[in-house]
Amino acid sequence: MTDVTLRDVAKTAGVSVSTVSRVVRGEDVVNPETKRKVMKAIKKLDYYVDITARAMVKKQTNTIGLSISDISNPFYPPLLRGVENTINKFGYSLILCNTDESAEKEKRYLKVMLEKRIDGLIVSLASPANTHFLEEFEKRGIPIVCIDRKAENMKVDTVCVDNIQGAFMAVEHLLKIGHRRIAMVSGIRGITTTEERVEGYLKALKDYGVDKSLIVEGKSTIEGAMEAVEKLLNLDFSPTALFSCNNLITLGIYIGLKKHGKRIPKDMAVVGFDDLDWAEALYPSPTVVSQPTYTIGATAAQILIQRILKEGPKNRQNIMLKTELIVRESCGAKLKNHMYQ
């Protein structure tokens, strides 16, 4: 079967090729009745517009790229929804890339999105080493918004949360209910979110006069967190409470403690960073620092659209959203279902 051409559509509709071309380009100069005939012919012949060729002419594809570091992380679906719902209102479609925390995979996807001529990029960097690759987007005038993780040494718009304060609240809560041997199971070191949460953890200990810290990397995976739990339980002076750097680590801590016959919170109190839609289904339900994930995505998308349309403030924006501590059962506090702002 041969490809359908503009000439085939024009013949079926009984109009000129130039008229079909105007309809395809979305120009308003075409008579509504003529446009109806052309659209009917397009549908009948199953004609597809050559998006690449059209993009070369218009220098616009109406597509947004979203690169996330781990699609299995429950943090990302609401964020993705926030991005998609927002850009759809402006007629943009989404190209989603999952890097699996791989610098090489991220590099390949960034190259693909350049080749696809996306109009803007929202990215949660898997590797700080790839910031130089983002410079190519800037050279081509493609706006960038970083989410969750910051692109250090680059002047780009950023939407994240106050990780330092969020971690501080979590550890402070454990300190207030009597814990002094508090360990942190961290995410991937070198990532800005991890480093900021480590900073918040250490700050809380210092402010409450606790001079002994203990940080074990959980690699931002369930398996990594389980390994971290095993290391901590094998210590001569094991902790009484754990602060988890993200929700996958929290799940790994739950599984790891159960595997070793430890009860939450009787044998080990747990507070995690990131909430889960089904948190109440876990037993005991986890005390967490909750992030406004949908708002992160929606805000990033709004800023990006403003950049594409050349609207909004000229200076780069660094939006830092608030977190909140949701106290449930896993910390062992008597007070339940209480929320601190």
Side-chain angles (χ1 to χ4, degrees):
M1 182 178 177
T2 58
D3 291 336
V4 178
T5 65
L6 284 178
R7 193 174 297 280
D8 296 326
V9 175
K11 184 178 180 180
T12 301
V15 299
S16 66
V17 173
S18 60
T19 298
V20 175
S21 182
R22 291 190 190 99
V23 172
V24 169
R25 290 199 302 267
E27 295 182 10
D28 297 328
V29 295
V30 182
N31 179 280
E33 178 60 25
T34 303
K35 183 178 180 180
R36 188 189 65 78
K37 290 180 180 179
V38 171
M39 295 306 294
K40 184 177 180 181
I42 286 174
K43 185 176 181 180
K44 179 180 178 181
L45 297 175
D46 201 21
Y47 172 73
Y48 288 91
V49 179
D50 188 338
I51 297 296
T52 303
R54 184 176 174 183
M56 291 179 69
V57 174
K58 296 182 66 179
K59 296 184 179 180
Q60 185 178 344
T61 61
N62 283 83
T63 55
I64 301 295
L66 173 61
S67 178
I68 60 176
S69 55
D70 184 1
I71 201 168
S72 68
N73 191 326
F75 168 79
Y76 283 111
L79 186 152
L80 192 157
R81 177 66 68 187
V83 171
E84 186 177 39
N85 285 353
T86 303
I87 67 171
N88 284 170
K89 293 176 183 177
F90 293 88
Y92 288 84
S93 298
L94 189 67
I95 297 177
L96 176 64
C97 300
N98 168 50
T99 63
D100 286 325
E101 300 287 6
S102 165
E104 284 303 312
K105 193 173 180 182
E106 180 174 66
K107 193 183 296 183
R108 290 200 305 273
Y109 273 136
L110 290 174
K111 184 178 179 182
V112 166
M113 286 191 282
L114 279 172
E115 292 170 349
K116 293 290 184 183
R117 298 173 181 269
I118 60 172
D119 297 327
L121 172 68
I122 299 173
V123 59
S124 175
L125 281 168
S127 171
N130 280 338
T131 53
H132 73 280
F133 208 85
L134 295 181
E135 293 173 3
E136 187 60 34
F137 286 83
E138 289 192 317
K139 289 177 183 176
R140 300 189 187 192
I142 301 172
I144 303 165
V145 179
C146 285
I147 49 170
D148 186 43
R149 304 171 179 184
K150 299 170 183 174
E152 296 179 322
N153 303 318
M154 284 194 71
K155 294 181 179 180
V156 297
D157 295 305
T158 304
V159 181
C160 59
V161 298
D162 191 340
N163 288 294
I164 297 173
Q165 180 60 21
F168 182 92
M169 284 195 300
V171 180
E172 181 184 48
H173 177 69
L174 290 168
L175 290 161
K176 282 183 174 179
I177 60 178
H179 293 282
R180 289 298 179 268
R181 301 200 308 276
I182 304 170
M184 177 179 183
V185 183
S186 79
I188 300 169
R189 299 308 299 261
I191 300 296
T192 57
T193 47
T194 297
E195 298 309 318
E196 289 170 354
R197 291 170 194 177
V198 167
E199 185 178 341
Y201 161 77
L202 294 174
K203 185 178 185 298
L205 294 183
K206 182 180 179 181
D207 285 3
Y208 280 78
V210 178
D211 58 3
K212 289 187 177 180
S213 62
L214 179 58
I215 302 171
V216 179
E217 185 175 336
K219 302 174 185 176
S220 292
T221 64
I222 292 174
E223 296 76 16
M226 291 173 64
E227 292 173 8
V229 166
E230 188 162 359
K231 290 177 184 177
L232 290 167
L233 292 179
N234 286 332
L235 295 174
D236 293 333
F237 199 56
S238 61
T240 62
L242 300 179
F243 168 50
S244 161
C245 198
N246 67 35
N247 47 28
L248 290 180
I249 291 174
T250 301
L251 291 174
I253 287 173
Y254 266 59
I255 296 169
L257 290 173
K258 183 179 180 181
K259 179 182 176 183
H260 288 276
K262 300 297 181 181
R263 294 164 296 178
I264 303 171
K266 187 172 182 179
D267 300 319
M268 186 76 73
V270 178
V271 176
F273 208 109
D274 290 336
D275 202 5
L276 297 159
D277 288 340
W278 33 269
E280 295 287 355
L282 287 176
Y283 182 77
S285 56
T287 294
V288 297
V289 175
S290 178
Q291 301 190 67
T293 47
Y294 182 93
T295 304
I296 293 171
T299 303
Q302 288 167 2
I303 293 172
L304 190 68
I305 295 296
Q306 286 181 335
R307 294 294 181 202
I308 293 170
L309 300 178
K310 302 189 185 306
E311 298 175 353
K314 292 183 178 180
N315 294 333
R316 297 301 174 187
Q317 299 184 68
N318 184 13
I319 307 296
M320 189 177 290
L321 303 173
K322 290 183 178 181
T323 58
E324 55 188 11
L325 179 67
I326 302 177
V327 180
R328 297 193 183 105
E329 299 168 331
S330 67
C331 60
K334 293 181 180 179
L335 187 61
K336 296 179 182 179
N337 297 320
H338 182 70
M339 190 175 293
Y340 294 88
Q341 288 289 348

